[in-house]
PDB file of all heavy atoms in Angstrom:
ATOM      1  N   LEU A  30     -12.447   4.001  -1.912  1.00 98.00           N
ATOM      2  CA  LEU A  30     -11.318   3.383  -1.222  1.00 98.00           C
ATOM      3  C   LEU A  30     -10.084   3.453  -2.114  1.00 98.00           C
ATOM      4  O   LEU A  30     -10.176   3.270  -3.342  1.00 98.00           O
ATOM      5  CB  LEU A  30     -11.617   1.913  -0.891  1.00 98.00           C
ATOM      6  CG  LEU A  30     -12.809   1.646   0.028  1.00 98.00           C
ATOM      7  CD1 LEU A  30     -13.043   0.152   0.160  1.00 98.00           C
ATOM      8  CD2 LEU A  30     -12.610   2.283   1.395  1.00 98.00           C
ATOM      9  N   TYR A  31      -8.943   3.702  -1.499  1.00 98.00           N
ATOM     10  CA  TYR A  31      -7.709   3.786  -2.273  1.00 98.00           C
ATOM     11  C   TYR A  31      -7.275   2.413  -2.773  1.00 98.00           C
ATOM     12  O   TYR A  31      -7.303   1.415  -2.041  1.00 98.00           O
ATOM     13  CB  TYR A  31      -6.579   4.376  -1.435  1.00 98.00           C
ATOM     14  CG  TYR A  31      -6.555   5.887  -1.387  1.00 98.00           C
ATOM     15  CD1 TYR A  31      -6.898   6.565  -0.224  1.00 98.00           C
ATOM     16  CD2 TYR A  31      -6.190   6.622  -2.509  1.00 98.00           C
ATOM     17  CE1 TYR A  31      -6.868   7.958  -0.171  1.00 98.00           C
ATOM     18  CE2 TYR A  31      -6.161   8.015  -2.463  1.00 98.00           C
ATOM     19  CZ  TYR A  31      -6.498   8.676  -1.304  1.00 98.00           C
ATOM     20  OH  TYR A  31      -6.471  10.049  -1.268  1.00 98.00           O
ATOM     21  N   ASP A  32      -6.847   2.380  -4.035  1.00 98.00           N
ATOM     22  CA  ASP A  32      -6.171   1.244  -4.625  1.00 98.00           C
ATOM     23  C   ASP A  32      -4.691   1.592  -4.752  1.00 98.00           C
ATOM     24  O   ASP A  32      -4.282   2.738  -4.521  1.00 98.00           O
ATOM     25  CB  ASP A  32      -6.778   0.911  -5.993  1.00 98.00           C
ATOM     26  CG  ASP A  32      -8.295   0.796  -5.933  1.00 98.00           C
ATOM     27  OD1 ASP A  32      -8.792   0.015  -5.105  1.00 98.00           O
ATOM     28  OD2 ASP A  32      -8.985   1.493  -6.707  1.00 98.00           O
ATOM     29  N   MET A  33      -3.867   0.626  -5.130  1.00 98.00           N
ATOM     30  CA  MET A  33      -2.428   0.838  -5.218  1.00 98.00           C
ATOM     31  C   MET A  33      -1.874   0.231  -6.497  1.00 98.00           C
ATOM     32  O   MET A  33      -2.399  -0.761  -7.002  1.00 98.00           O
ATOM     33  CB  MET A  33      -1.719   0.199  -4.018  1.00 98.00           C
ATOM     34  CG  MET A  33      -2.070   0.809  -2.678  1.00 98.00           C
ATOM     35  SD  MET A  33      -1.285  -0.054  -1.286  1.00 98.00           S
ATOM     36  CE  MET A  33      -2.395  -1.447  -1.074  1.00 98.00           C
ATOM     37  N   PHE A  34      -0.805   0.843  -7.003  1.00 98.00           N
ATOM     38  CA  PHE A  34      -0.064   0.260  -8.129  1.00 98.00           C
ATOM     39  C   PHE A  34       1.396   0.164  -7.705  1.00 98.00           C
ATOM     40  O   PHE A  34       1.985   1.149  -7.244  1.00 98.00           O
ATOM     41  CB  PHE A  34      -0.189   1.114  -9.390  1.00 98.00           C
ATOM     42  CG  PHE A  34       0.208   0.388 -10.647  1.00 98.00           C
ATOM     43  CD1 PHE A  34      -0.751  -0.083 -11.527  1.00 98.00           C
ATOM     44  CD2 PHE A  34       1.543   0.156 -10.951  1.00 98.00           C
ATOM     45  CE1 PHE A  34      -0.386  -0.757 -12.690  1.00 98.00           C
ATOM     46  CE2 PHE A  34       1.917  -0.514 -12.098  1.00 98.00           C
ATOM     47  CZ  PHE A  34       0.946  -0.977 -12.980  1.00 98.00           C
ATOM     48  N   VAL A  35       1.978  -1.032  -7.871  1.00 98.00           N
ATOM     49  CA  VAL A  35       3.370  -1.285  -7.494  1.00 98.00           C
ATOM     50  C   VAL A  35       4.132  -1.759  -8.725  1.00 98.00           C
ATOM     51  O   VAL A  35       3.703  -2.699  -9.407  1.00 98.00           O
ATOM     52  CB  VAL A  35       3.468  -2.343  -6.378  1.00 98.00           C
ATOM     53  CG1 VAL A  35       4.926  -2.592  -6.003  1.00 98.00           C
ATOM     54  CG2 VAL A  35       2.666  -1.905  -5.159  1.00 98.00           C
ATOM     55  N   SER A  36       5.253  -1.099  -9.014  1.00 98.00           N
ATOM     56  CA  SER A  36       6.112  -1.505 -10.131  1.00 98.00           C
ATOM     57  C   SER A  36       7.067  -2.611  -9.691  1.00 98.00           C
ATOM     58  O   SER A  36       7.657  -2.544  -8.603  1.00 98.00           O
ATOM     59  CB  SER A  36       6.944  -0.317 -10.632  1.00 98.00           C
ATOM     60  OG  SER A  36       6.159   0.600 -11.347  1.00 98.00           O
ATOM     61  N   ASN A  37       7.234  -3.600 -10.560  1.00 97.00           N
ATOM     62  CA  ASN A  37       8.197  -4.680 -10.344  1.00 97.00           C
ATOM     63  C   ASN A  37       8.961  -4.929 -11.641  1.00 97.00           C
ATOM     64  O   ASN A  37       8.701  -4.282 -12.666  1.00 97.00           O
ATOM     65  CB  ASN A  37       7.483  -5.956  -9.899  1.00 97.00           C
ATOM     66  CG  ASN A  37       6.828  -5.831  -8.535  1.00 97.00           C
ATOM     67  OD1 ASN A  37       7.478  -5.455  -7.568  1.00 97.00           O
ATOM     68  ND2 ASN A  37       5.542  -6.138  -8.448  1.00 97.00           N
ATOM     69  N   ILE A  38       9.893  -5.884 -11.613  1.00 95.00           N
ATOM     70  CA  ILE A  38      10.574  -6.296 -12.852  1.00 95.00           C
ATOM     71  C   ILE A  38       9.679  -7.306 -13.545  1.00 95.00           C
ATOM     72  O   ILE A  38       9.374  -8.363 -12.994  1.00 95.00           O
ATOM     73  CB  ILE A  38      11.959  -6.900 -12.558  1.00 95.00           C
ATOM     74  CG1 ILE A  38      12.837  -5.877 -11.845  1.00 95.00           C
ATOM     75  CG2 ILE A  38      12.623  -7.354 -13.851  1.00 95.00           C
ATOM     76  CD1 ILE A  38      14.233  -6.390 -11.520  1.00 95.00           C
ATOM     77  N   THR A  39       9.251  -6.987 -14.763  1.00 95.00           N
ATOM     78  CA  THR A  39       8.210  -7.785 -15.421  1.00 95.00           C
ATOM     79  C   THR A  39       8.545  -8.050 -16.882  1.00 95.00           C
ATOM     80  O   THR A  39       7.663  -8.042 -17.731  1.00 95.00           O
ATOM     81  CB  THR A  39       6.860  -7.056 -15.332  1.00 95.00           C
ATOM     82  OG1 THR A  39       6.900  -5.880 -16.166  1.00 95.00           O
ATOM     83  CG2 THR A  39       6.551  -6.610 -13.919  1.00 95.00           C
ATOM     84  N   THR A  40       9.819  -8.271 -17.181  1.00 92.00           N
ATOM     85  CA  THR A  40      10.233  -8.443 -18.575  1.00 92.00           C
ATOM     86  C   THR A  40       9.938  -9.862 -19.049  1.00 92.00           C
ATOM     87  O   THR A  40      10.449 -10.840 -18.486  1.00 92.00           O
ATOM     88  CB  THR A  40      11.724  -8.141 -18.741  1.00 92.00           C
ATOM     89  OG1 THR A  40      11.953  -6.777 -18.388  1.00 92.00           O
ATOM     90  CG2 THR A  40      12.174  -8.370 -20.172  1.00 92.00           C
ATOM     91  N   THR A  41       9.126  -9.974 -20.071  1.00 84.00           N
ATOM     92  CA  THR A  41       8.785 -11.276 -20.617  1.00 84.00           C
ATOM     93  C   THR A  41      10.040 -12.000 -21.100  1.00 84.00           C
ATOM     94  O   THR A  41      10.840 -11.450 -21.851  1.00 84.00           O
ATOM     95  CB  THR A  41       7.792 -11.119 -21.781  1.00 84.00           C
ATOM     96  OG1 THR A  41       6.662 -10.383 -21.318  1.00 84.00           O
ATOM     97  CG2 THR A  41       7.344 -12.471 -22.308  1.00 84.00           C
ATOM     98  N   PHE A  42      10.201 -13.234 -20.642  1.00 80.00           N
ATOM     99  CA  PHE A  42      11.380 -14.063 -20.938  1.00 80.00           C
ATOM    100  C   PHE A  42      12.671 -13.395 -20.471  1.00 80.00           C
ATOM    101  O   PHE A  42      13.739 -13.675 -20.979  1.00 80.00           O
ATOM    102  CB  PHE A  42      11.457 -14.433 -22.424  1.00 80.00           C
ATOM    103  CG  PHE A  42      10.390 -15.420 -22.817  1.00 80.00           C
ATOM    104  CD1 PHE A  42       9.343 -15.043 -23.617  1.00 80.00           C
ATOM    105  CD2 PHE A  42      10.431 -16.713 -22.341  1.00 80.00           C
ATOM    106  CE1 PHE A  42       8.348 -15.946 -23.969  1.00 80.00           C
ATOM    107  CE2 PHE A  42       9.453 -17.621 -22.676  1.00 80.00           C
ATOM    108  CZ  PHE A  42       8.401 -17.250 -23.493  1.00 80.00           C
ATOM    109  N   GLY A  43      12.574 -12.483 -19.522  1.00 83.00           N
ATOM    110  CA  GLY A  43      13.746 -11.932 -18.857  1.00 83.00           C
ATOM    111  C   GLY A  43      13.662 -12.363 -17.408  1.00 83.00           C
ATOM    112  O   GLY A  43      14.097 -13.444 -17.028  1.00 83.00           O
ATOM    113  N   ILE A  44      13.059 -11.515 -16.605  1.00 81.00           N
ATOM    114  CA  ILE A  44      12.646 -11.888 -15.253  1.00 81.00           C
ATOM    115  C   ILE A  44      11.141 -11.673 -15.227  1.00 81.00           C
ATOM    116  O   ILE A  44      10.654 -10.551 -15.177  1.00 81.00           O
ATOM    117  CB  ILE A  44      13.361 -11.036 -14.190  1.00 81.00           C
ATOM    118  CG1 ILE A  44      14.868 -11.289 -14.245  1.00 81.00           C
ATOM    119  CG2 ILE A  44      12.829 -11.352 -12.804  1.00 81.00           C
ATOM    120  CD1 ILE A  44      15.670 -10.495 -13.232  1.00 81.00           C
ATOM    121  N   GLN A  45      10.379 -12.776 -15.294  1.00 83.00           N
ATOM    122  CA  GLN A  45       8.940 -12.713 -15.514  1.00 83.00           C
ATOM    123  C   GLN A  45       8.205 -12.691 -14.181  1.00 83.00           C
ATOM    124  O   GLN A  45       7.747 -13.700 -13.689  1.00 83.00           O
ATOM    125  CB  GLN A  45       8.486 -13.910 -16.359  1.00 83.00           C
ATOM    126  CG  GLN A  45       7.002 -13.911 -16.684  1.00 83.00           C
ATOM    127  CD  GLN A  45       6.610 -12.762 -17.600  1.00 83.00           C
ATOM    128  OE1 GLN A  45       7.257 -12.545 -18.608  1.00 83.00           O
ATOM    129  NE2 GLN A  45       5.557 -12.049 -17.258  1.00 83.00           N
ATOM    130  N   GLU A  46       8.126 -11.507 -13.580  1.00 91.00           N
ATOM    131  CA  GLU A  46       7.284 -11.343 -12.407  1.00 91.00           C
ATOM    132  C   GLU A  46       6.010 -10.651 -12.892  1.00 91.00           C
ATOM    133  O   GLU A  46       5.524 -10.953 -13.959  1.00 91.00           O
ATOM    134  CB  GLU A  46       8.040 -10.540 -11.347  1.00 91.00           C
ATOM    135  CG  GLU A  46       9.294 -11.267 -10.850  1.00 91.00           C
ATOM    136  CD  GLU A  46      10.158 -10.469  -9.895  1.00 91.00           C
ATOM    137  OE1 GLU A  46       9.887  -9.269  -9.709  1.00 91.00           O
ATOM    138  OE2 GLU A  46      11.108 -11.037  -9.330  1.00 91.00           O
ATOM    139  N   SER A  47       5.470  -9.723 -12.125  1.00 95.00           N
ATOM    140  CA  SER A  47       4.356  -8.918 -12.622  1.00 95.00           C
ATOM    141  C   SER A  47       4.269  -7.656 -11.786  1.00 95.00           C
ATOM    142  O   SER A  47       4.721  -7.617 -10.643  1.00 95.00           O
ATOM    143  CB  SER A  47       3.019  -9.673 -12.560  1.00 95.00           C
ATOM    144  OG  SER A  47       2.463  -9.611 -11.255  1.00 95.00           O
ATOM    145  N   ASN A  48       3.702  -6.603 -12.378  1.00 97.00           N
ATOM    146  CA  ASN A  48       3.315  -5.461 -11.573  1.00 97.00           C
ATOM    147  C   ASN A  48       2.144  -5.861 -10.680  1.00 97.00           C
ATOM    148  O   ASN A  48       1.512  -6.902 -10.874  1.00 97.00           O
ATOM    149  CB  ASN A  48       2.887  -4.294 -12.473  1.00 97.00           C
ATOM    150  CG  ASN A  48       4.026  -3.739 -13.300  1.00 97.00           C
ATOM    151  OD1 ASN A  48       5.119  -3.497 -12.799  1.00 97.00           O
ATOM    152  ND2 ASN A  48       3.774  -3.523 -14.590  1.00 97.00           N
ATOM    153  N   PHE A  49       1.855  -5.011  -9.696  1.00 98.00           N
ATOM    154  CA  PHE A  49       0.676  -5.207  -8.859  1.00 98.00           C
ATOM    155  C   PHE A  49      -0.279  -4.042  -9.073  1.00 98.00           C
ATOM    156  O   PHE A  49       0.095  -2.890  -8.875  1.00 98.00           O
ATOM    157  CB  PHE A  49       1.047  -5.245  -7.375  1.00 98.00           C
ATOM    158  CG  PHE A  49       1.940  -6.383  -6.977  1.00 98.00           C
ATOM    159  CD1 PHE A  49       3.002  -6.168  -6.107  1.00 98.00           C
ATOM    160  CD2 PHE A  49       1.730  -7.665  -7.449  1.00 98.00           C
ATOM    161  CE1 PHE A  49       3.828  -7.202  -5.722  1.00 98.00           C
ATOM    162  CE2 PHE A  49       2.558  -8.713  -7.076  1.00 98.00           C
ATOM    163  CZ  PHE A  49       3.614  -8.479  -6.207  1.00 98.00           C
ATOM    164  N   GLN A  50      -1.488  -4.329  -9.493  1.00 98.00           N
ATOM    165  CA  GLN A  50      -2.550  -3.336  -9.476  1.00 98.00           C
ATOM    166  C   GLN A  50      -3.538  -3.798  -8.415  1.00 98.00           C
ATOM    167  O   GLN A  50      -4.485  -4.533  -8.669  1.00 98.00           O
ATOM    168  CB  GLN A  50      -3.217  -3.181 -10.844  1.00 98.00           C
ATOM    169  CG  GLN A  50      -4.125  -1.963 -10.932  1.00 98.00           C
ATOM    170  CD  GLN A  50      -4.514  -1.616 -12.363  1.00 98.00           C
ATOM    171  OE1 GLN A  50      -3.988  -2.188 -13.315  1.00 98.00           O
ATOM    172  NE2 GLN A  50      -5.428  -0.666 -12.529  1.00 98.00           N
ATOM    173  N   PHE A  51      -3.273  -3.380  -7.174  1.00 98.00           N
ATOM    174  CA  PHE A  51      -4.039  -3.835  -6.025  1.00 98.00           C
ATOM    175  C   PHE A  51      -5.350  -3.049  -5.932  1.00 98.00           C
ATOM    176  O   PHE A  51      -5.350  -1.835  -5.729  1.00 98.00           O
ATOM    177  CB  PHE A  51      -3.243  -3.636  -4.735  1.00 98.00           C
ATOM    178  CG  PHE A  51      -2.127  -4.630  -4.529  1.00 98.00           C
ATOM    179  CD1 PHE A  51      -0.816  -4.201  -4.369  1.00 98.00           C
ATOM    180  CD2 PHE A  51      -2.386  -5.991  -4.477  1.00 98.00           C
ATOM    181  CE1 PHE A  51       0.215  -5.100  -4.159  1.00 98.00           C
ATOM    182  CE2 PHE A  51      -1.363  -6.908  -4.271  1.00 98.00           C
ATOM    183  CZ  PHE A  51      -0.058  -6.457  -4.113  1.00 98.00           C
ATOM    184  N   ILE A  52      -6.469  -3.754  -6.038  1.00 98.00           N
ATOM    185  CA  ILE A  52      -7.796  -3.151  -5.942  1.00 98.00           C
ATOM    186  C   ILE A  52      -8.387  -3.485  -4.571  1.00 98.00           C
ATOM    187  O   ILE A  52      -8.385  -4.644  -4.152  1.00 98.00           O
ATOM    188  CB  ILE A  52      -8.727  -3.663  -7.060  1.00 98.00           C
ATOM    189  CG1 ILE A  52      -8.069  -3.452  -8.446  1.00 98.00           C
ATOM    190  CG2 ILE A  52     -10.071  -2.974  -6.975  1.00 98.00           C
ATOM    191  CD1 ILE A  52      -7.769  -2.015  -8.780  1.00 98.00           C
ATOM    192  N   ALA A  53      -8.883  -2.472  -3.868  1.00 98.00           N
ATOM    193  CA  ALA A  53      -9.436  -2.677  -2.531  1.00 98.00           C
ATOM    194  C   ALA A  53     -10.675  -3.566  -2.591  1.00 98.00           C
ATOM    195  O   ALA A  53     -11.533  -3.403  -3.462  1.00 98.00           O
ATOM    196  CB  ALA A  53      -9.779  -1.331  -1.893  1.00 98.00           C
ATOM    197  N   THR A  54     -10.768  -4.513  -1.649  1.00 98.00           N
ATOM    198  CA  THR A  54     -11.901  -5.444  -1.605  1.00 98.00           C
ATOM    199  C   THR A  54     -12.780  -5.230  -0.380  1.00 98.00           C
ATOM    200  O   THR A  54     -13.779  -5.940  -0.219  1.00 98.00           O
ATOM    201  CB  THR A  54     -11.392  -6.897  -1.614  1.00 98.00           C
ATOM    202  OG1 THR A  54     -10.551  -7.112  -0.469  1.00 98.00           O
ATOM    203  CG2 THR A  54     -10.614  -7.195  -2.887  1.00 98.00           C
ATOM    204  N   ALA A  55     -12.438  -4.284   0.499  1.00 98.00           N
ATOM    205  CA  ALA A  55     -13.257  -4.025   1.686  1.00 98.00           C
ATOM    206  C   ALA A  55     -14.617  -3.452   1.273  1.00 98.00           C
ATOM    207  O   ALA A  55     -14.760  -2.835   0.214  1.00 98.00           O
ATOM    208  CB  ALA A  55     -12.534  -3.066   2.623  1.00 98.00           C
ATOM    209  N   LYS A  56     -15.611  -3.634   2.136  1.00 97.00           N
ATOM    210  CA  LYS A  56     -16.955  -3.146   1.844  1.00 97.00           C
ATOM    211  C   LYS A  56     -17.002  -1.620   1.842  1.00 97.00           C
ATOM    212  O   LYS A  56     -17.674  -1.006   1.015  1.00 97.00           O
ATOM    213  CB  LYS A  56     -17.942  -3.698   2.864  1.00 97.00           C
ATOM    214  CG  LYS A  56     -18.069  -5.212   2.868  1.00 97.00           C
ATOM    215  CD  LYS A  56     -19.004  -5.673   3.988  1.00 97.00           C
ATOM    216  CE  LYS A  56     -19.074  -7.193   4.049  1.00 97.00           C
ATOM    217  NZ  LYS A  56     -19.921  -7.650   5.185  1.00 97.00           N
ATOM    218  N   ASP A  57     -16.331  -1.028   2.802  1.00 97.00           N
ATOM    219  CA  ASP A  57     -16.302   0.416   2.941  1.00 97.00           C
ATOM    220  C   ASP A  57     -15.110   0.782   3.804  1.00 97.00           C
ATOM    221  O   ASP A  57     -14.311  -0.091   4.203  1.00 97.00           O
ATOM    222  CB  ASP A  57     -17.604   0.954   3.542  1.00 97.00           C
ATOM    223  CG  ASP A  57     -18.004   0.233   4.833  1.00 97.00           C
ATOM    224  OD1 ASP A  57     -17.107  -0.211   5.584  1.00 97.00           O
ATOM    225  OD2 ASP A  57     -19.207   0.102   5.090  1.00 97.00           O
ATOM    226  N   GLN A  58     -14.965   2.052   4.139  1.00 96.00           N
ATOM    227  CA  GLN A  58     -13.794   2.484   4.892  1.00 96.00           C
ATOM    228  C   GLN A  58     -13.776   1.906   6.309  1.00 96.00           C
ATOM    229  O   GLN A  58     -12.710   1.574   6.836  1.00 96.00           O
ATOM    230  CB  GLN A  58     -13.738   4.012   4.931  1.00 96.00           C
ATOM    231  CG  GLN A  58     -12.357   4.556   5.277  1.00 96.00           C
ATOM    232  CD  GLN A  58     -12.263   6.047   5.023  1.00 96.00           C
ATOM    233  OE1 GLN A  58     -12.860   6.833   5.733  1.00 96.00           O
ATOM    234  NE2 GLN A  58     -11.509   6.430   3.995  1.00 96.00           N
ATOM    235  N   ARG A  59     -14.944   1.773   6.914  1.00 97.00           N
ATOM    236  CA  ARG A  59     -14.993   1.186   8.260  1.00 97.00           C
ATOM    237  C   ARG A  59     -14.526  -0.262   8.235  1.00 97.00           C
ATOM    238  O   ARG A  59     -13.769  -0.702   9.124  1.00 97.00           O
ATOM    239  CB  ARG A  59     -16.413   1.292   8.819  1.00 97.00           C
ATOM    240  CG  ARG A  59     -16.557   0.742  10.237  1.00 97.00           C
ATOM    241  CD  ARG A  59     -17.953   0.980  10.786  1.00 97.00           C
ATOM    242  NE  ARG A  59     -18.241   2.399  10.916  1.00 97.00           N
ATOM    243  CZ  ARG A  59     -19.383   2.870  11.376  1.00 97.00           C
ATOM    244  NH1 ARG A  59     -20.356   2.047  11.737  1.00 97.00           N
ATOM    245  NH2 ARG A  59     -19.576   4.179  11.472  1.00 97.00           N
ATOM    246  N   ASP A  60     -14.964  -1.020   7.243  1.00 98.00           N
ATOM    247  CA  ASP A  60     -14.536  -2.415   7.114  1.00 98.00           C
ATOM    248  C   ASP A  60     -13.034  -2.483   6.829  1.00 98.00           C
ATOM    249  O   ASP A  60     -12.331  -3.353   7.367  1.00 98.00           O
ATOM    250  CB  ASP A  60     -15.324  -3.093   5.990  1.00 98.00           C
ATOM    251  CG  ASP A  60     -14.930  -4.547   5.792  1.00 98.00           C
ATOM    252  OD1 ASP A  60     -14.729  -5.248   6.802  1.00 98.00           O
ATOM    253  OD2 ASP A  60     -14.803  -4.975   4.629  1.00 98.00           O
ATOM    254  N   LEU A  61     -12.537  -1.565   6.004  1.00 98.00           N
ATOM    255  CA  LEU A  61     -11.107  -1.518   5.715  1.00 98.00           C
ATOM    256  C   LEU A  61     -10.313  -1.268   6.997  1.00 98.00           C
ATOM    257  O   LEU A  61      -9.309  -1.937   7.265  1.00 98.00           O
ATOM    258  CB  LEU A  61     -10.815  -0.424   4.687  1.00 98.00           C
ATOM    259  CG  LEU A  61      -9.345  -0.141   4.370  1.00 98.00           C
ATOM    260  CD1 LEU A  61      -8.687  -1.362   3.769  1.00 98.00           C
ATOM    261  CD2 LEU A  61      -9.217   1.045   3.431  1.00 98.00           C
TER     262      LEU A  61
END
């Protein structure tokens, strides 16, 4: 299953957000 990576502004003590490393949680492609 495909996972995704999303870039955001994540500078410590600047603008403290986070990147996203989205990992698929579906059982299989049919469930997805």
Side-chain angles (χ1 to χ4, degrees):
L30 299 175
Y31 276 109
D32 310 306
M33 296 176 279
F34 196 104
V35 180
S36 287
N37 294 307
I38 300 180
T39 69
T40 298
T41 305
F42 289 110
I44 297 180
Q45 182 67 49
E46 297 175 352
S47 82
N48 294 313
F49 297 137
Q50 192 166 352
F51 285 122
I52 306 299
T54 60
K56 298 176 183 177
D57 51 32
Q58 199 168 70
R59 182 175 296 180
D60 180 41
L61 174 62

